[in-house]
Amino acid sequence: MRILLIGTGGTIAGIQKNGIIDDSDYTSGVLKANELLNSLSASEISHILSKDDEIIPLELCNLNSDDMTYEIMLRLTNTINSSSTFDGIVITHGTDTLEETSFFLEYTTNHKIPVVMTCAMYPATSPKADGPSNLLFALEYLSQCIKTKDESISKIKTNSYEIVIAFNQKIIPARNLIKAYINNEYTFENSAPSFADLSAWDKHYEISSNTYVQYVPIAYFGANAPSSILYFYAKNGAKAIILAGAGAGEYSEEWIDAVENLSKEGILFIRTSKIRKAPVNKNQRLSINTLNGGSLSPEKASILASLHLI
């Protein structure tokens, strides 16, 4: 069994400053993939792998996941798609943008081996460090998939595994992943999204090393929010704009007028809600010049729209 361990940084690879025991004061993306692997004891590994099995660490990048970009996500996709000599892949990642990266990979990878992502809420030097246990759990789950060939077939792919996240003894599909809390090990929830008007976009997207993915900006609405942000995005080349509305995806008369005006210029608008797990309603007043994003988060709708525009 050959497993590829891809490191990208994040809290799981983070360390605190000398003399500081504060789980909020640390530097992400310090430890390398091989160091994360070495944090596991030989006895822990031996329960999962035999002496003939091997784990190959690969440092794709080492950063705070807030610095994750589409260019890096594309490198991850191409690395996964070209890893046919391995039996499975584990990816370590920061929690802040794990939703986005895993969602992007789910729609762009076309692999025939299981891929598991994992992370941590506490840095590696914290007394509460959860990175080693999550990495061990990811490797254990991956090993079981390889040994049993128990494929979890994705709805958007043919004969390939879906991307899953192994965290705090839970396995969550990338499509369903929601970060609900910021400071504890129960941060992630499993909630299957509805796609509403974007159902036709719920498919696999072929990409290559030369593919360019244009970011689709998100405009967040709140009380007194001016519509100038919509005109700003349009002026700066946006082909589509995600509307992160209040409540069930709603916004002001001023925004309605702006959407109507900019729609005439060919800009695509997708309505979502800034409230987690809130489905967008079928409001006739707001639906004339927009697509309904269902219960997709603004960030996931942005990724799907970006891929749709390739």
Side-chain angles (χ1 to χ4, degrees):
M1 186 189 309
R2 296 184 77 238
I3 294 173
L4 179 63
L5 174 62
I6 303 176
T8 69
T11 297
I12 192 171
I15 61 172
Q16 296 156 318
K17 297 176 182 177
N18 289 335
I20 295 179
I21 303 177
D22 183 349
D23 290 332
S24 65
D25 190 0
Y26 63 92
T27 302
S28 295
V30 176
L31 301 179
K32 297 185 181 298
N34 65 311
E35 293 176 293
L36 297 180
L37 185 59
N38 290 337
S39 70
L40 306 180
S41 68
S43 61
E44 289 174 321
I45 293 290
S46 66
H47 286 299
I48 301 172
L49 305 176
S50 71
K51 62 180 181 179
D52 296 325
D53 297 329
E54 59 179 338
I55 303 175
I56 310 298
L58 170 66
E59 199 71 17
L60 188 95
C61 61
N62 206 353
L63 43 75
N64 184 316
S65 71
D66 295 324
D67 294 314
M68 185 59 63
T69 65
Y70 281 172
E71 186 271 333
I72 298 173
M73 293 182 193
L74 284 167
R75 284 169 54 199
L76 260 176
T77 291
N78 289 317
T79 299
I80 292 169
N81 287 347
S82 61
S83 298
S84 58
T85 61
F86 291 92
D87 300 298
I89 299 173
V90 170
I91 302 169
T92 59
H93 197 287
T95 62
D96 279 356
T97 58
L98 181 56
E99 283 181 83
E100 287 99 312
T101 300
S102 62
F103 196 74
F104 184 96
L105 295 179
E106 174 65 13
Y107 283 87
T108 58
T109 54
N110 190 21
H111 50 282
K112 307 299 181 184
I113 58 176
V115 177
V116 181
M117 303 185 74
T118 194
C119 54
M121 285 302 294
Y122 305 109
T125 49
S126 168
K128 297 189 288 186
D130 55 334
S133 62
N134 286 327
L135 178 55
L136 193 67
F137 177 52
L139 289 168
E140 184 176 21
Y141 177 78
L142 185 75
S143 176
Q144 291 173 352
C145 288
I146 295 170
K147 290 175 181 176
T148 63
K149 299 189 182 301
D150 181 17
E151 295 191 3
S152 181
I153 303 300
S154 169
K155 294 179 181 177
I156 63 169
K157 300 177 188 172
T158 304
N159 298 323
S160 64
Y161 291 89
E162 63 184 344
I163 304 289
V164 298
I165 290 77
F167 178 81
N168 195 24
Q169 300 302 305
K170 288 193 222 173
I171 300 297
I172 303 177
R175 285 158 53 91
N176 299 3
L177 189 69
I178 291 177
K179 185 173 183 180
Y181 306 99
I182 62 170
N183 59 0
N184 65 53
E185 60 271 24
Y186 303 102
T187 180
F188 289 117
E189 293 183 356
N190 185 345
S191 180
S194 64
F195 290 78
D197 292 340
L198 306 188
S199 295
W201 299 2
D202 184 21
K203 63 181 182 179
H204 176 71
Y205 293 86
E206 292 289 342
I207 67 165
S208 70
S209 57
N210 297 320
T211 300
Y212 172 72
V213 182
Q214 179 180 345
Y215 174 70
V216 171
I218 303 169
Y220 282 85
F221 175 78
N224 203 51
S227 62
S228 56
I229 186 65
L230 304 180
Y231 290 100
F232 171 83
Y233 285 146
K235 183 179 178 180
N236 284 272
K239 295 180 181 178
I241 298 174
I242 306 300
L243 303 170
E250 301 188 30
Y251 37 85
S252 66
E253 291 289 345
E254 180 185 342
W255 276 44
I256 291 174
D257 292 340
V259 168
E260 181 179 1
N261 292 336
L262 292 171
S263 293
K264 294 174 183 176
E265 298 179 15
I267 295 176
L268 191 63
F269 286 93
I270 298 100
R271 286 175 58 226
T272 65
S273 173
K274 63 183 181 181
I275 300 174
R276 290 291 189 178
K277 297 185 285 186
V280 172
N281 62 17
K282 297 180 180 179
N283 187 315
Q284 175 129 15
R285 186 171 60 100
L286 302 173
S287 301
I288 297 173
N289 298 298
T290 65
L291 293 175
N292 186 322
S295 64
L296 285 173
S297 68
E299 296 78 18
K300 287 180 178 177
S302 173
I303 288 174
L304 208 56
S306 295
L307 294 174
H308 173 73
L309 293 174
I310 291 176

